[in-house]
Amino acid sequence: MPREQKQVRELQEGSYVMMDDSPCKINHYSTAKPGKHGSAKARVEGKGVFDEKKRSLSQPVDAKVWVPIIERKQGQVVSVSGDDAQVMDLDTYETFTMRIPEGEDFSSDDTIEYLEYEGQRKVVG
Amino acid sequence: MFPGATADRDAASYVVVGAPLDATTTFQPGTRFGPDRVRRFSETYDDYDRRTDSHFSALGVHDAGDVAPWDDTREYLDHLAAELRSVVLDGAIPLALGGEHTVTYAGVEAVTPDTLVVVDAHLDLRAEYAGNPWNHACVTRHALDVVDRAVIVGARTGSPEEWDRAAEDDVEVVAPEDARGWLDDLDPGRFADGSTYLSVDVDGVDPGFAPGTGTMEPFGLHPREVRDLVRTVAPHAEGFDVVEVNDRDDGQAAALGGKLLREFVHSHAAGSSA
């Protein structure tokens, strides 16, 4: 599994964390400041990298959480057919089909950047 | 725990969050005791509400405890907003117990409503108070950075600058003496379009009924007027709070705050299932 364990205190806005078994990009991280009682708890908010769903978690800062190792890769558009594009990974030369994101305009030979995690891919806008 | 708030968090439709902020109170402090005091003085209420034919404990209310504050008020509000937003993300309604009125900003930030309906003796439209822009006297002005419109019911005092701000199109002020007529004429569907957040600063009520608050202002609303406002707005509201309750009375302010929270839940649940 392309993921690693980290302590909650190591998370930061802009990094990734698994929430509800989905890789999420963190857009809010804050820590409660306890007085004499209770342990410092963090509130982490994020958005699913692939499903864009907002999620939230609260854990003590020394708790362990899973952090997905999301690869940033480069590919070349081989062909375009309707809303789908055939893309070749420029490292592995693997060819796959991906949905063209709304608002993006792909043409053959375009070089694109995309995120990949466990078979899920998303074009970096 | 708020009496009757027996639901598990995962199954909750309503989540009580205590926010005992007591950082910028300007006369009598004590809002740090507000959440626990409201819980305590709500112990005597019957679980059953005859008007809505519902049991409070059957409506899916969970008490998440308090989010304890610290010295940096702005940072605390940011964290509190995230806590309340997690309730919203779970598809539940946040019910915040203040704490000073400043905590309403976190609720508004979490819910991002179109309209803020606020019961308050004060306009709370100051840009700053005693050099602090996050003083409790500024909360409605900050909320207007998020909401399109604020309706302030029960307001009877403010600075000249606040009254000027209140005269703008995005603010409606209902004076205590006009509240009953305004309520009687209020179209129940007025808040049905768009989202609404309802905040009850207990000092909006006449201090004869709710003396346990930091800045008492005579000639205020009657409890039944606030109750009727809560009943009207609750079915369309996506967030609620009761704020500015302190411990400087025999429980009158806390008892009223707790009862209004229950009224909100019963009315919201009845409205949602209607």
Side-chain angles (χ1 to χ4, degrees):
Chain A
M1 294 286 271
R3 57 184 192 170
E4 59 184 344
Q5 271 203 319
K6 280 189 177 179
Q7 283 196 325
V8 169
R9 72 172 83 246
E10 297 175 85
L11 301 175
Q12 53 188 335
E13 287 171 19
S15 67
Y16 298 106
V17 68
M18 295 298 288
M19 289 197 257
D20 301 334
D21 292 327
S22 298
C24 296
K25 189 171 187 177
I26 298 167
N27 55 29
H28 172 95
Y29 178 93
S30 60
T31 317
K33 313 287 188 292
K36 293 180 179 178
H37 309 290
S39 62
K41 263 192 163 182
R43 170 61 67 180
V44 182
E45 290 180 305
K47 202 169 170 184
V49 175
F50 300 105
D51 64 5
E52 303 212 329
K53 188 177 170 191
K54 291 177 182 174
R55 295 181 177 88
S56 181
L57 70 81
S58 178
Q59 291 277 0
V61 293
D62 54 359
K64 293 271 180 57
V65 286
W66 287 106
V67 171
I69 298 164
I70 297 175
E71 289 189 277
R72 198 180 183 99
K73 304 178 91 173
Q74 285 205 315
Q76 187 173 50
V77 177
V78 177
S79 64
V80 175
S81 169
D83 293 336
D84 293 330
Q86 276 255 308
V87 177
M88 181 177 72
D89 185 294
L90 287 176
D91 275 335
T92 64
Y93 304 116
E94 176 196 1
T95 304
F96 51 86
T97 302
M98 69 191 305
R99 178 59 48 100
I100 300 170
E102 237 174 88
E104 294 283 341
D105 189 20
F106 283 12
S107 307
S108 292
D109 297 331
D110 281 356
T111 300
I112 61 165
E113 276 202 320
Y114 64 95
L115 302 175
E116 185 175 82
Y117 179 77
E118 290 197 327
Q120 298 177 92
R121 298 181 181 93
K122 185 191 176 180
V123 173
V124 180
Chain B
M1 184 184 83
F2 191 92
T6 51
D8 290 339
R9 172 67 191 263
D10 291 347
S13 301
Y14 305 90
V15 178
V16 176
V17 177
L21 183 66
D22 196 357
T24 76
T25 43
T26 41
F27 182 52
Q28 297 191 114
T31 52
R32 66 193 59 194
F33 304 114
D36 277 348
R37 199 156 166 95
V38 170
R39 291 177 179 111
R40 182 181 161 206
F41 283 92
S42 299
E43 285 171 13
T44 59
Y45 297 136
D46 281 313
D47 193 38
Y48 178 67
D49 180 62
R50 185 167 179 231
R51 183 181 63 94
T52 56
D53 190 25
S54 59
H55 288 82
F56 185 79
S57 61
L59 296 178
V61 186
H62 171 81
D63 189 338
D66 292 354
V67 179
W70 56 92
D71 287 353
D72 187 330
T73 299
R74 188 67 195 88
E75 194 183 69
Y76 171 70
L77 291 175
D78 189 45
H79 185 75
L80 178 62
E83 292 291 336
L84 297 172
R85 201 156 40 235
S86 76
V87 176
V88 176
L89 286 177
D90 290 340
I93 302 287
L95 310 170
L97 289 176
E100 63 180 67
H101 207 165
T102 318
V103 304
T104 293
Y105 182 74
V108 164
E109 220 186 11
V111 171
T112 58
D114 301 310
T115 304
L116 168 67
V117 179
V118 56
V119 171
D120 202 335
H122 310 89
L123 292 170
D124 284 356
L125 290 169
R126 294 172 190 267
E128 54 89 21
Y129 186 88
N132 181 4
W134 289 99
N135 181 278
H136 69 145
C138 313
V139 65
T140 304
R141 192 180 185 107
H142 283 297
L144 282 162
D145 293 337
V146 179
V147 304
D148 297 330
R149 185 170 179 76
V151 182
I152 311 169
V153 183
R156 48 200 182 268
T157 186
S159 66
E161 294 78 13
E162 286 180 280
W163 286 111
D164 286 347
R165 180 66 185 86
E168 292 181 30
D169 289 345
D170 57 351
V171 179
E172 180 181 358
V173 178
V174 181
E177 52 270 34
D178 300 329
R180 175 46 63 192
W182 182 82
L183 280 164
D184 291 344
D185 295 340
L186 190 60
D187 174 4
R190 175 176 164 179
F191 300 106
D193 292 334
S195 57
T196 301
Y197 184 96
L198 176 58
S199 173
V200 175
D201 179 336
V202 81
D203 72 23
V205 180
D206 191 87
F209 297 106
T213 193
T215 44
M216 288 182 277
E217 188 71 31
F219 316 131
L221 296 164
H222 284 229
R224 277 197 290 263
E225 290 167 345
V226 181
R227 179 200 66 186
D228 292 352
L229 176 67
V230 169
R231 287 178 178 179
T232 304
V233 176
H236 312 293
E238 294 179 17
F240 176 73
D241 65 47
V242 175
V243 296
E244 295 283 344
V245 172
N246 69 20
D247 61 332
R248 291 170 178 254
D249 66 2
D250 293 323
Q252 297 94 316
L256 180 59
K259 191 69 178 179
L260 290 171
L261 184 146
R262 289 172 49 100
E263 286 284 345
F264 178 91
V265 171
H266 283 293
S267 302
H268 184 276
S272 302
S273 60

